[in-house]
Amino acid sequence: MKGAEILIKALENEGVDVLFGYPGGAIMPVYDALVGSKLKHILVRHEQAAALAADGYARASGNVGVCMATSGPGATNLLTGIANAHLDSVPMVAITGQVSTTLMGTDAFQEVDIFGMSMSVVKHNFIVRKTADIAKTIHDAFELARSGRPGPVLVDLPKDVVSAEIDDVQFKESSSKPMPRPEAKDLHIAHDLLLNSRQPLIYAGGGIRIAGASKELCAFVDATGIPVVTTLQGLGAIPADHPLNLGMLGMHGTKAANFAVQSCDLLVCVGARFDDRVTGKLAEFAPGAKVIHMDADPAEIGKLRMVQCAIMGDIKVALNFLHVRPEIDFWVKRCMLNKEKFAWDYNAPMESVYAPKFIKEMSDRSPENTFVSCDVGQHQMWVAQHYGFKSPNNHLTSGGLGTMGFGLPAAIGAQYASPESCVITVSGDGSIMMNIQELATLKRYNIPVKIVLFDNKALGMVRQWQELFFNENYSEVDLSDNPDFVKVAEAFGIPSYRVERADEVNDAIDRMFSHQGPVLVHVLIDPKENVWPLVPPGKSNEQMMEAKTV
Amino acid sequence: MKFTVSIRLSNTEGALERLLGRLRQRAFEISSMSAERTADRAFIEARFTIEGTRDVEPVIKQLAKCYEVQSLKFQYTEGGAQNGQWQNHTEREVCLPV
């Protein structure tokens, strides 16, 4: 068997059905073996999109996403997508071609040391130097990617290694390391902390999605009666309309969520990591709270915040164990009053489109099990604030790395993970240009992704910060010379239409959902619209800035 | 803060480089190091003396996360609690089979 054939068989053994990639010189033996295999290869138009599509596929399906590129520029183009998966703990295997082993280290054509370059943005990586090691390495790569705290694993394959033939190949069964049960003593400490708390708060993060523990989280919330705040990655871990859900916390969190965090006496952190966008000024985050921290990764415990109780291992077991009922009626009432008092106001008396209201209408009108991917910027925060997610798998957002250009490729990946579902990508006029070439992928495979493109003719989030924190000294944020996005979409063969006024919104959304194939909806919004509330940099979470006027 | 780490790691490509990268990213400086392959070529026994201004335990956990690491112990030699006593670090997700 040729090395490339061993690779394909090993991928099939791991249950891979789709992979995203782009061919080139060093990876050609693998593309040769791909012909006639059971694997469906999606040809993207830039390697970064291959990695981001694999990321989207993994988030939406819960399986390992796979991407592939050639050596040199193909491999370096994957890096942003790999880093994106690393920072959001997304299981991915990235396969890179490499020049032949005899040429490695000679500055050969399209040679880069991708093994060395990727080391700080992967969970682990491998170079395979012997054909006989390919099957085992692919097995280990998948096991590492999906076990414990998931993450990306890169496998670098020199051309001579995948071209050589060997006999007697041993394939291993697909496997993953089971999550250990939490220690009983830790659960009992947490039990007592919960029972003795008077102002407890659950702080739920992306770990809920990774562990598939939404049901257990909801049961825990219902049993204890404790209010919940979620991180960006935790949105949907508990349904947006759950009465005890106070919304997202942090920089663009709700006032109810941030006030609750700052005044709680016990913070139950479930699969979250005290990210700086969540905590604001770390020293002043939840200042009066003891902390219970549940996580799969020992390195997260005590990394940024000292804890009174660490629960390692399977969070489902922990959540099911901790069904206690502390005496917290007064606290819950206070949280609920804040939730009501600071509820979003969609009453925007203006002719132009108010993006938060558009997203709220889209959320209300979307079919069951709709997936929403985002790019990065103001529109990303509006989606987080105003789309009512019911499951964490349905929200695909680049939280850790903040990768502009994530949305469209991630939506492509999500559509392959769930072909029958509606998939929307919400983008901005800055972000869309980062991977706009993937419109060609939508057209090629007729992938029915719905693109909502909010256009404020600016890099809106940067512009907002320049307005607020740099004395309105606007520097390189003007995009008023954007192309005509409707014409761009049409040039790629994607139907498109424009929405300019508030009274067109509902019809535009209905038209988008009733359209069978891919479509781009170009939505013009006020360039001066900002994201509120906002915790300024270096401030604590109760020091939120608000809109002067809406 | 000065501390010494003694690590046994599987002798796989990039294993040492991975450890060094994690220290460098967190601004720790290595004041001395030694590493030796075991006779059966399966492992590397490495020892680093390290200085830095950040808390030590988070970086110890980051080192222990490297899948090549089979066992790890450390001691504070200056400025830490339990100065001079070796502490075993056992919390890890999984390590690479040798």
Side-chain angles (χ1 to χ4, degrees):
Chain A
M1 238 176 147
K2 276 190 182 174
E5 293 165 350
I6 296 169
L7 169 68
I8 301 297
K9 179 80 166 46
L11 292 173
E12 288 171 353
N13 276 5
E14 293 297 333
V16 176
D17 53 4
V18 62
L19 71 162
F20 306 88
Y22 202 101
I27 195 85
M28 280 178 73
V30 175
Y31 274 84
D32 187 52
L34 201 57
V35 176
S37 81
K38 292 179 203 157
L39 301 180
K40 184 173 179 60
H41 178 272
I42 305 304
L43 177 70
V44 293
R45 298 305 174 96
H46 188 295
E47 292 89 348
Q48 183 187 106
L52 295 173
D55 179 315
Y57 174 88
R59 288 180 204 238
S61 68
N63 299 324
V64 179
V66 183
C67 57
M68 188 157 74
T70 194
S71 64
T76 55
N77 280 343
L78 286 181
L79 276 178
T80 299
I82 293 170
N84 192 74
H86 181 60
L87 280 174
D88 284 347
S89 305
V90 176
M92 176 193 290
V93 169
I95 296 163
T96 49
Q98 182 55 275
V99 300
S100 289
T101 51
T102 49
L103 288 174
M104 286 171 72
T106 66
D107 302 325
F109 176 65
Q110 292 194 329
E111 184 196 0
V112 295
D113 174 22
I114 197 66
F115 179 79
M117 291 174 81
S118 63
M119 207 167 257
S120 64
V121 293
V122 292
K123 186 173 176 184
H124 196 68
N125 56 5
F126 299 92
I127 299 178
V128 187
R129 293 194 187 257
K130 292 181 194 156
T131 308
D133 291 341
I134 291 175
K136 180 180 179 304
T137 304
I138 293 296
H139 171 271
D140 290 350
F142 275 80
E143 184 178 271
L144 286 174
R146 63 165 80 96
S147 296
R149 178 182 185 172
V153 178
L154 182 138
V155 182
D156 199 28
L157 291 167
K159 193 172 186 180
D160 54 336
V161 173
V162 289
S163 301
E165 285 196 50
I166 58 166
D167 301 323
D168 190 28
V169 185
Q170 301 291 320
F171 291 97
K172 292 171 78 175
E173 285 290 306
S174 177
S175 61
S176 63
K177 300 275 183 197
M179 189 64 75
R181 287 177 68 83
E183 298 272 347
K185 68 172 172 47
D186 297 330
L187 292 175
H188 284 105
I189 294 169
H191 180 278
D192 291 349
L193 284 168
L194 278 167
L195 208 54
N196 293 322
S197 66
R198 292 296 170 265
Q199 300 186 172
L201 187 69
I202 299 162
Y203 153 41
I208 302 288
R209 170 180 57 78
I210 293 165
S214 288
K215 197 174 77 166
E216 287 76 9
L217 177 71
C218 293
F220 174 62
V221 171
D222 291 338
T224 59
I226 299 174
V228 189
V229 298
T230 70
T231 66
L232 181 65
Q233 297 295 341
L235 290 169
I238 183 165
D241 58 0
H242 190 288
L244 287 169
N245 186 352
L246 303 177
M248 185 171 76
L249 81 163
M251 183 173 276
H252 291 295
T254 66
K255 293 184 98 172
N258 281 336
F259 283 145
V261 170
Q262 292 308 98
S263 47
C264 69
D265 68 359
L266 177 67
L267 194 62
V268 186
C269 171
V270 190
R273 58 184 178 90
F274 297 91
D275 175 77
D276 54 273
R277 285 296 192 268
V278 157
T279 62
K281 189 176 183 182
L282 185 61
E284 293 175 16
F285 178 69
K290 293 178 177 173
V291 175
I292 299 170
H293 192 167
M294 304 180 191
D295 211 289
D297 182 0
E300 286 303 329
I301 305 298
K303 186 178 83 174
L304 292 163
R305 171 74 181 237
M306 294 309 292
V307 304
Q308 279 63 46
C309 174
I311 298 178
M312 302 303 309
D314 191 340
I315 57 176
K316 289 183 182 176
V317 174
L319 292 170
N320 286 339
F321 179 85
L322 295 170
H323 285 195
V324 297
R325 192 88 190 179
E327 292 169 22
I328 55 172
D329 291 354
F330 180 76
W331 163 245
V332 174
K333 202 173 284 177
R334 194 172 134 197
C335 289
M336 293 305 113
L337 280 173
N338 274 343
K339 184 176 174 177
E340 197 180 320
K341 182 177 170 187
F342 300 119
W344 299 118
D345 180 8
Y346 295 104
N347 184 25
M350 51 199 218
E351 279 186 19
S352 60
V353 177
Y354 181 45
K357 190 173 183 185
F358 186 106
I359 291 165
K360 174 73 166 60
E361 288 292 343
M362 188 169 75
S363 175
D364 291 345
R365 289 158 187 266
S366 63
E368 275 296 303
N369 199 33
T370 292
F371 289 82
V372 181
S373 74
C374 296
D375 269 305
V376 170
Q378 290 180 311
H379 66 276
Q380 179 191 28
M381 291 299 107
W382 285 324
V383 167
Q385 292 174 331
H386 305 289
Y387 196 95
F389 290 99
K390 293 176 181 155
S391 158
N393 294 64
N394 292 57
H395 179 220
L396 291 74
T397 196
S398 173
L401 195 65
T403 309
M404 291 173 73
F406 171 79
L408 180 52
I412 291 171
Q415 192 74 76
Y416 278 99
S418 190
E420 303 304 318
S421 298
C422 176
V423 179
I424 306 168
T425 185
V426 179
S427 188
D429 53 317
S431 287
I432 194 75
M433 294 292 271
M434 294 267 181
N435 270 316
I436 198 161
Q437 78 287 341
E438 297 312 315
L439 290 175
T441 310
L442 290 190
K443 175 63 180 171
R444 182 188 183 96
Y445 298 100
N446 193 29
I447 304 167
V449 166
K450 318 300 179 205
I451 303 166
V452 174
L453 171 54
F454 287 115
D455 186 349
N456 57 6
K457 301 189 186 326
L459 294 173
M461 189 61 94
V462 183
R463 191 206 58 76
Q464 176 171 345
W465 278 53
Q466 289 176 350
E467 177 189 337
L468 299 174
F469 309 122
F470 291 86
N471 300 319
E472 300 184 41
N473 185 28
Y474 298 115
S475 175
E476 299 295 336
V477 291
D478 173 49
L479 299 181
S480 56
D481 56 351
N482 274 327
D484 181 330
F485 286 109
V486 170
K487 282 186 180 166
V488 169
E490 286 170 354
F492 278 96
I494 308 288
S496 180
Y497 52 93
R498 187 166 288 122
V499 184
E500 298 182 60
R501 297 197 321 270
D503 60 5
E504 299 172 330
V505 166
N506 291 353
D507 286 348
I509 293 170
D510 289 342
R511 185 177 164 195
M512 177 181 81
F513 283 130
S514 63
H515 186 85
Q516 294 301 307
V519 62
L520 186 148
V521 184
H522 183 218
V523 186
L524 300 182
I525 60 170
D526 182 350
K528 292 195 173 148
E529 196 64 65
N530 284 337
V531 181
W532 305 110
L534 165 66
V535 178
K539 301 287 185 186
S540 69
N541 276 353
E542 70 263 33
Q543 295 172 286
M544 284 167 279
M545 296 172 74
E546 290 182 82
K548 289 167 196 148
T549 54
V550 171
Chain B
M1 201 85 75
K2 199 167 176 179
F3 59 105
T4 301
V5 189
S6 177
I7 305 177
R8 182 181 178 86
L9 60 162
S10 54
N11 180 22
T12 53
E13 195 159 353
L16 271 175
E17 187 180 350
R18 206 181 303 277
L19 293 180
L20 296 175
R22 291 191 182 191
L23 290 165
R24 191 261 311 143
Q25 190 180 5
R26 292 161 181 83
F28 284 94
E29 186 183 356
I30 298 169
S31 56
S32 77
M33 62 180 281
S34 65
E36 193 169 358
R37 197 176 61 191
T38 55
D40 63 1
R41 295 173 172 254
F43 299 103
I44 296 168
E45 300 282 2
R47 195 178 171 110
F48 305 96
T49 302
I50 301 162
E51 291 175 37
T53 54
R54 291 209 206 176
D55 287 348
V56 173
E57 291 191 24
V59 79
I60 291 292
K61 288 179 177 179
Q62 292 297 333
L63 296 178
K65 267 178 80 167
C66 295
Y67 293 97
E68 295 94 344
V69 173
Q70 304 291 320
S71 65
L72 183 153
K73 59 182 182 175
F74 71 101
Q75 64 172 177
Y76 290 99
T77 50
E78 251 180 52
Q82 296 175 296
N83 222 349
Q85 288 181 28
W86 283 102
Q87 300 173 52
N88 285 308
H89 186 88
T90 52
E91 279 181 336
R92 19 199 355 275
E93 276 184 287
V94 60
C95 55
L96 280 180
V98 179

